[in-house]
Amino acid sequence: MVLLAKQQKGSAPWPQATIGTISFLISLFLWPLVDPSHACLTVDTAKGWWLLLLAPVHHENPWHLACNVVGVWLSGRRLEQCVGTSMFLVLMASAALFTGFLHLALNLAMEWTFHESHYRAACALGFSGVLFAMQVMSSSQSSLAGDLLLCLAESLVASYFTPKKRSIFD
C-alpha cells in the first residue's frame, strides 16, 4: 500500500483518507465484525439498520476485495485531492448509506413492478456502490460522458468476474 502511495507524482500529500479506507476494508476482510453472510443487505434483512453500515465494508471473497481496493485507490485519491480529506470522508460515509437505501428502494420497485419476489433476496455487499458514487462525483470535474462510460465498463467487467445469483449465500 505504501508503494502505491509513493507512485503519486508531484509534491501533493498522500491521500490519507484513501489509504485509511483501503486499510480499513482490508482489516475488516481479515477480521470481519460479522460473518459476511450475515452482513448481506436485502429487503428482507433491512429491519436491521446496522446492515446499512456493515454491508458496504464487508466483502464476499479476496477477488471482490481486491477489485474494490483498486477502485478506491484509483478514484479515491483523485476525489480526495479535489475536495479535501474531511469532505472526502463525509462524502464516502454519505455514499455508503445512500447506496444502501438506493439498493433497497430499487429492489422494492422491481418487486412491485414485475411482481417477482426474488428481488427481495438481492444482496448488496461490498464497496462497489460507493465506488460508483465516487466516480460520478469525480466526473463533475471532467467529462461526464467519458467517466460514466468508464463506470459502465467497470460494472460489466466486475459482473463478468463475479457473476451474481439471487443471493450470494444461497
Side-chain angles (χ1 to χ4, degrees), residues 26 29-30 59-69 162:
I26 292 171
F29 182 75
L30 296 173
H59 292 83
E60 179 183 5
N61 57 48
W63 179 251
H64 182 205
L65 174 68
C67 289
N68 281 190
V69 164
T162 56

Side-chain angles (χ1 to χ4, degrees), residues 21-111:
T21 300
I22 291 170
S23 300
F24 181 65
L25 293 174
I26 292 171
S27 296
L28 283 179
F29 182 75
L30 296 173
W31 304 284
L33 296 174
V34 297
D35 186 307
S37 65
H38 299 298
C40 187
L41 179 64
T42 68
V43 172
D44 291 330
T45 63
K47 294 175 188 121
W49 62 267
W50 60 89
L51 291 177
L52 286 168
L53 303 173
L54 293 179
V57 295
H58 283 78
H59 292 83
E60 179 183 5
N61 57 48
W63 179 251
H64 182 205
L65 174 68
C67 289
N68 281 190
V69 164
V70 168
V72 170
W73 177 252
L74 295 175
S75 298
R77 64 186 177 149
R78 180 177 43 163
L79 184 60
E80 184 178 354
Q81 288 173 346
C82 289
V83 300
T85 299
S86 299
M87 183 54 75
F88 176 77
L89 290 171
V90 168
L91 289 173
M92 285 208 333
S94 301
L97 290 174
F98 176 74
T99 57
F101 284 122
L102 183 61
H103 169 76
L104 295 174
L106 288 174
N107 279 301
L108 281 172
M110 296 292 282
E111 178 187 26

Side-chain angles (χ1 to χ4, degrees), residues 128-147:
S128 300
V130 178
L131 291 175
F132 292 124
M134 286 171 35
Q135 288 176 336
V136 169
M137 287 183 264
S138 295
S139 66
S140 65
Q141 303 295 325
S142 60
S143 74
L144 181 61
D147 282 352

